[in-house]
Amino acid sequence: MYASFFGLSQDPFSIAPDPRYLFMSERHREALAHLLYGLGGGGGFVLLTGEIGTGKTTVCRCFLEQIPADCNVAYIFNPKLTVGELLQSVCDEFGIPHGHNGPGEETAKDCIDPLNAFLLRTHAAGQHNVLIIDEAQNLSADVLEQLRLLTNLETNERKLLQIILIGQPELRTLLARPELEQLAQRVIARFHLDALSLAETEHYIAHRLAIGGRHGALPFDRAALQLVHRMTHGVPRRINLLCGRALLGAYATGQSVVDRKIVAKAGTEVFGDLPAARSAGHPKAVAAGLGLVAGVALLAGLGWAMGVKLPWTGASPTAASSAAGPHIAAARPAASQASAALAATATAAATDHFADLFTTLPRAEDAAWRALAADWKATPDAAADPCEALPAQGLQCFRSTRTSLALIRQLDRPGLLTLTDAQGRPAYALLRGLDARNATLLVNGQPRAVPLATLALYWRGEYATLWRTPPLDDRLKGEKARAAATAQWVSQQLATLPGVATPASGAAAGDSPRERIYRFQLAQGLVPDGQAGPITLMLLNRATGVAEPQLQK
C-alpha cells in the first residue's frame, strides 16, 4: 500500500521468510558458526536458543544452505511427539524404511535397528548425518532421553548422529533439570541468540529498505529509530511489525519521514499501550491520534483495493495534507510540515553532494591500490600489478565481492570499496574509518564522512584490503616448506591466546592444530573450518598484536 509513496518496489517489512532479506548481524554469524562447528564435533548435541523472533529460523536456514553435500539432514519442526512418533519421524526424514513384522504395533526397536544400519552404512560411505529439531522447548523429558540414547549409536572413532536443538530460552531451563544431566553433559556447543543492538537495528532497517528498492536516506529520523529499538527490544520480527505499521501511518498522513510520534502511535496499535509509546506523548493525545491514523489507513486501503488513487499519493507532503482534506491538514501542524520538508531537503542535499564526490573518485583500480599501500608504508612497483608486487614486502591482497560492514569492522583495517553509480560506472574509494552511522572515505586526499545509508546506494559488497603475512625465512624454497613454516607460525601465535591453546574441559587428548584453529575461529564468530585462510590470519594478526593499520572509529 505505502510502497510507491516511499520509493519502494515491495513491502520491506513483511514477516514472511524471504531469503533476499537475510540480515546476518555479528550475533547471527556467531550462532551460525556454532552450528557449523557442531558438524565437526564428532556427535553429541548442539544447542541454539533465543527469544521469539530473534532470528533462530534465519540462522537455521542459512546453516542448511551451507551444509556440505555429503551430509544427510533430518529436520523436525513439530516436536510435540511421543517417543514412537519421534523415531518414526526421524526415519521418515532420512528416508529409512521401517515397519513391524508380526502381530502388534510398531515398537521403538523397529525404528532404531534400521536407523542404526543406515547410520553405519552412510558413515562407511564418508557421509555425515544431522538431526535438527526446531521448537525443541516443547520436547517432553522422555523424548529428550530417547534422543540422548540415539547419540549412543557410534563406532570406535565417532558418534554417528549429530543432533541440533533449536528453541526458546525455556529449553535451557529444561536441560538444567537433574533427570536430564546426562544429556546436558553431551552438549558440545551452545549459543544464546540475543536481540540486535541499537546500531544493528538501524543497519537492519536500512538493509531491508535497500532490498525493498529504497534509494536515498532512511525514511525514519534519528529519534524514531531510537524509539523503534526501545519498543521492539531489537527483536527482528517485532521491528518488522512496528516499522511496517509506522510507514503505513506516515503514508496515511502524507509524511515522507517517520518521526517519533508516528512510531509511538504505530507501537500502540501493534503492541498495545506500552510505556515506550506513552513516553512519546500524552496518553490522550496518542489515543486520539490512533483513531485518525487507523481511519485514514482504512480509507487508503479501500482506495487501493478499488483501484482509486487517493489525493495525497504521489504528491509532496504539504500538498498531500491539503488535498486529503482539512482534518488531515489539522493532524499535521506547520512545525511538522516544516520539519519534514527540511529533512527531505537535507537528505537530497547529502545524496547530491556525494554524487558530485563520486565523479572525482579514481576510476583506475591500480591508483586506488597504491593509495592503500601507502597506508601500509609499502611502495609497489609502478609498472607492476600491486597484488603481485606487494608479497615481496610481506603483504598479501585480499578481495571479496560479498563483504558486510560487520566483517569490515571485525577485520579493522583500511580497504578499497568498489562503488558503482546508477549508470553502472565503477569508481574506487579508500575506506579509512567506520562507525555506527558514517564511513570515512579518502576523496582527493581529504577524509569525507559519508552516511552509511548513502554509501549503500553505491556499494554492493566489493571490498579489498591487505594483510601482513607470517615472517618466514627468505631461504625457504618450495610451496610445501613455506606452508609448513606458516602452520608452525600459526601454532605459535595460537599458543599465546588464552582459551585457544588449552582444550576445553572434556576435550580429547592429542588436541590438533586444526582443532585449535577451530576454537579460534569460533571465538571470533567465523564459520569454522579448521583452516588458516586469509580472514583467519587477519584476525589472528589483530588478536596477537601484529602491527597493521586500523580503521578510525
Side-chain angles (χ1 to χ4, degrees):
M1 186 186 302
Y2 56 74
S4 61
F5 181 74
F6 288 101
L8 297 161
S9 58
Q10 56 189 292
D11 178 9
F13 295 112
S14 168
I15 60 174
D18 189 334
R20 292 174 302 170
Y21 287 91
L22 175 65
F23 176 84
M24 293 290 283
S25 70
E26 292 187 20
R27 292 174 178 81
H28 290 89
R29 287 174 47 242
E30 189 173 353
L32 175 61
H34 276 73
L35 296 185
L36 290 168
Y37 172 73
L39 287 180
F45 291 87
V46 175
L47 197 63
L48 173 62
T49 57
E51 297 287 352
I52 297 173
T54 49
K56 299 186 297 295
T57 301
T58 297
V59 171
C60 186
R61 185 178 297 112
C62 191
F63 169 70
L64 290 172
E65 291 174 354
Q66 298 191 34
I67 282 183
D70 63 355
C71 192
N72 304 308
V73 179
Y75 191 102
I76 295 177
F77 55 86
N78 176 23
K80 290 190 174 182
L81 304 169
T82 65
V83 170
E85 291 169 340
L86 171 76
L87 293 172
Q88 292 169 4
S89 297
V90 172
C91 288
D92 291 340
E93 285 291 311
F94 279 128
I96 303 170
H98 59 92
H100 182 66
N101 293 324
E105 297 182 352
E106 189 176 57
T107 65
K109 187 177 186 329
D110 293 325
C111 292
I112 293 176
D113 286 350
L115 174 61
N116 191 32
F118 169 80
L119 296 176
L120 288 169
R121 184 172 65 254
T122 53
H123 172 72
Q127 299 176 15
H128 301 275
N129 298 287
V130 178
L131 169 61
I132 302 173
I133 301 181
D134 207 348
E135 300 295 340
Q137 75 278 355
N138 294 318
L139 291 169
S140 62
D142 57 337
V143 169
L144 283 168
E145 175 61 14
Q146 180 61 66
L147 288 173
R148 183 189 69 82
L149 294 175
L150 289 182
T151 62
N152 287 338
L153 303 177
E154 58 189 357
T155 66
N156 290 332
E157 297 85 20
R158 62 176 291 138
K159 292 185 180 296
L160 300 178
L161 183 62
Q162 179 74 66
I163 300 177
I164 296 176
L165 302 179
I166 301 174
Q168 296 170 28
E170 295 86 345
L171 178 59
R172 295 189 297 178
T173 304
L174 178 62
L175 296 185
R177 289 163 58 174
E179 62 267 31
L180 294 174
E181 182 180 356
Q182 291 188 70
L183 187 153
Q185 290 178 357
R186 298 192 184 191
V187 176
I188 62 172
R190 62 180 73 211
F191 188 82
H192 183 70
L193 189 59
D194 291 319
L196 302 178
S197 66
L198 173 58
E200 288 171 335
T201 296
E202 294 181 14
H203 297 156
Y204 176 82
I205 293 171
H207 169 78
R208 295 193 72 98
L209 285 166
I211 299 299
R214 170 79 179 187
H215 298 290
L218 297 182
F220 293 83
D221 65 24
R222 179 66 179 167
L225 290 171
Q226 291 174 339
L227 185 56
V228 167
H229 179 258
R230 191 193 315 166
M231 297 185 76
T232 63
H233 305 290
V235 175
R237 189 179 301 164
R238 292 171 64 88
I239 294 171
N240 288 354
L241 291 169
L242 180 57
C243 286
R245 187 62 62 92
L247 288 179
L248 177 61
Y251 162 76
T253 55
Q255 293 183 235
S256 61
V257 177
V258 176
D259 58 20
R260 182 183 176 87
K261 184 178 294 186
I262 292 175
V263 172
K265 293 177 181 178
T268 307
E269 287 186 338
V270 174
F271 306 131
D273 192 15
L274 299 177
R278 291 195 296 271
S279 67
H282 193 279
K284 292 184 179 179
V286 171
L290 284 175
L292 174 62
V293 172
V296 176
L298 177 60
L299 176 61
L302 290 172
W304 175 77
M306 297 172 63
V308 178
K309 185 173 183 180
L310 295 176
W312 63 86
T313 55
S316 67
T318 304
S321 298
S322 300
H327 59 291
I328 294 206
R332 296 188 63 230
S336 297
Q337 296 179 25
S339 176
L342 286 173
T345 301
T347 297
T351 303
D352 291 344
H353 180 59
F354 187 74
D356 292 337
L357 291 179
F358 181 86
T359 62
T360 69
L361 293 172
R363 301 303 174 94
E365 189 177 14
D366 283 356
W369 269 109
R370 296 182 205 290
L372 176 61
D375 282 357
W376 294 73
K377 296 181 172 50
T379 53
D381 185 345
D385 181 343
C387 286
E388 294 180 359
L390 288 174
Q393 301 179 51
L395 298 173
Q396 284 283 354
C397 295
F398 169 79
R399 301 174 186 263
S400 174
T401 58
R402 299 181 61 186
T403 313
S404 67
L405 288 179
L407 179 59
I408 292 177
R409 286 190 179 91
Q410 188 176 18
L411 295 178
D412 191 21
R413 63 197 56 231
L416 296 183
L417 303 182
T418 301
L419 307 179
T420 308
D421 65 7
Q423 287 72 45
R425 296 172 297 187
Y428 301 91
L430 178 57
L431 176 70
R432 280 274 182 81
L434 189 63
D435 60 29
R437 298 185 64 83
N438 297 300
T440 301
L441 305 182
L442 193 67
V443 180
N444 296 327
Q446 298 295 322
R448 303 279 186 176
V450 178
L452 298 183
T454 300
L455 183 67
L457 301 177
Y458 293 84
W459 184 60
R460 292 295 178 267
E462 292 189 53
Y463 169 76
T465 189
L466 298 172
W467 56 282
R468 203 169 299 284
T469 56
L472 304 182
D473 191 332
D474 293 337
R475 293 171 295 181
L476 287 173
K477 302 297 182 184
E479 187 174 334
K480 283 189 176 181
R482 297 185 69 82
T486 298
Q488 182 180 8
W489 179 86
V490 169
S491 293
Q492 292 171 344
Q493 297 295 93
L494 289 174
T496 67
L497 300 177
V500 174
T502 303
S505 176
D511 189 47
S512 69
R514 184 174 183 272
E515 289 168 336
R516 289 193 288 272
I517 295 173
Y518 249 104
R519 287 199 295 275
F520 174 74
Q521 291 170 328
L522 192 61
Q524 295 292 321
L526 299 178
V527 175
D529 59 5
Q531 304 295 321
I535 291 178
T536 298
L537 289 172
M538 281 188 270
L539 293 179
L540 185 57
N541 281 352
R542 184 69 68 229
T544 56
V546 173
E548 292 179 321
Q550 293 180 264
L551 288 172
Q552 303 167 9
K553 302 298 191 294

